Amino acid sequence: MKKSAILLFIFCIYCNYSYSQRITIKYIESRLVTHQGVEFIGELKDSKSADLYMLPNWDNEGVMFLNNKKYLLSNINFNISTNCFDSRIDREKLFSYKSSTIDSVEINDHLFKRVDDVFYEVLFENENNYFLKRHHFKVHKGAINRLNLSVGKSYTTLDYNYLIKLANVFEKVELNKKGIINLLKDSEDQELLIQFVKTQDLSYKKEKDFIEIFKYILKNKNIIQ
């Protein structure tokens, strides 16, 4: 009977339905409790208070895209510390989804896609061209007390890296004037871009403004190095 239940569960997950399937945390938890097995989509793990998450709470709706199928998820968050997706079962336990099997995940209108086994948020997409954002964190050493030379407690802050993708070529980009201008081949093209940014009253440092800059670059693909 137990074996039949496992086979039925696996069959239901992998069947190619024409509609989205909902995998709630209660659905997963019930199978963990009854040992019916969900290891092929993830694993149970202890909650670590030190982990940083993209969203401040767990009341989030998500869509997971896997093998050309779409699964609806509840209680999901993006774990920046581990670059994976978790659902909270309780204060002590999390269910961590297996990143290697996921094509992309959308959480509250934030779309993530895997690039070389790292999940990036998609800020802009046009055909096979992307502007991507990687969420990560920096560890800062504590300040040194000048009186007794003791070192204060270290702390972490959120940080981001950016990529653009043109066809199958990835290019790292810094959201500042030098980093963006250096994407171009020659000084004449650079000057044209500078004038475009100036006339459109855009900022090199803002994501939404770089999207407009990127659209300009896409119209002039030959200027990319």
Side-chain angles (χ1 to χ4, degrees):
M1 182 66 182
K2 180 179 178 182
K3 184 176 180 180
S4 298
I6 296 174
L7 291 174
L8 179 60
F9 174 65
I10 294 175
F11 175 79
C12 290
I13 290 293
Y14 280 95
C15 278
N16 189 12
Y17 294 126
S18 60
Y19 53 87
S20 301
Q21 301 177 69
R22 176 166 290 278
I23 306 176
T24 65
I25 194 61
K26 290 185 179 297
Y27 186 75
I28 291 172
E29 185 180 10
S30 67
R31 277 148 184 80
L32 290 169
V33 171
T34 57
H35 306 289
Q36 292 184 28
V38 287
E39 64 275 3
F40 60 95
I41 60 169
E43 62 181 357
L44 188 67
K45 69 175 187 179
D46 293 332
S47 176
K48 295 181 179 179
S49 59
D51 281 358
L52 294 177
Y53 286 88
M54 182 183 74
L55 299 168
N57 58 63
W58 292 83
D59 187 21
N60 307 305
E61 291 294 324
V63 182
M64 182 178 293
F65 299 90
L66 172 64
N67 296 330
N68 297 318
K69 291 185 285 289
K70 184 167 67 173
Y71 301 93
L72 302 181
L73 299 159
S74 63
N75 194 4
I76 188 170
N77 210 332
F78 180 59
N79 189 327
I80 296 172
S81 301
T82 61
N83 194 251
C84 65
F85 300 91
D86 296 339
S87 285
R88 172 174 279 178
I89 292 179
D90 56 39
R91 290 185 176 274
E92 304 296 329
K93 295 292 182 181
L94 297 171
F95 186 83
S96 183
Y97 297 94
K98 190 178 293 184
S99 297
S100 61
T101 62
I102 299 172
D103 300 317
S104 58
V105 176
E106 184 176 321
I107 306 176
N108 294 353
D109 296 325
H110 293 270
L111 177 63
F112 290 83
K113 290 191 174 183
R114 193 173 74 243
V115 178
D116 295 332
D117 295 324
V118 174
F119 280 101
Y120 286 82
E121 183 180 354
V122 179
L123 298 180
F124 174 77
E125 179 179 0
N126 180 9
E127 296 180 350
N128 198 31
N129 307 302
Y130 295 93
F131 173 36
L132 305 170
K133 174 181 180 179
R134 181 181 179 180
H135 299 246
H136 64 105
F137 63 92
K138 283 185 177 180
V139 178
H140 303 267
K141 293 182 179 180
I144 298 177
N145 188 313
R146 294 183 179 181
L147 296 178
N148 56 20
L149 299 181
S150 63
V151 180
K153 187 178 180 180
S154 61
Y155 63 98
T156 59
T157 57
L158 292 178
D159 197 18
Y160 308 101
N161 288 335
Y162 297 93
L163 285 179
I164 59 171
K165 179 176 182 284
L166 288 168
N168 293 318
V169 178
F170 288 94
E171 182 83 23
K172 288 185 178 180
V173 60
E174 297 286 340
L175 291 196
N176 54 51
K177 183 175 182 179
K178 180 179 179 181
I180 294 172
I181 296 301
N182 284 344
L183 292 170
L184 309 187
K185 287 182 178 181
D186 57 53
S187 58
E188 290 185 6
D189 292 329
Q190 291 176 350
E191 186 60 33
L192 287 174
L193 180 58
I194 291 171
Q195 290 302 316
F196 171 78
V197 172
K198 184 177 181 180
T199 57
Q200 298 298 314
D201 195 25
L202 301 175
S203 169
Y204 295 99
K205 297 181 179 181
K206 295 180 179 180
E207 294 174 357
K208 65 180 182 64
D209 286 359
F210 179 75
I211 291 174
E212 298 306 314
I213 296 172
F214 190 45
K215 289 178 181 178
Y216 171 85
I217 291 173
L218 289 177
K219 292 179 181 178
N220 303 274
K221 289 185 180 180
N222 59 308
I223 67 177
I224 292 291
Q225 292 182 357

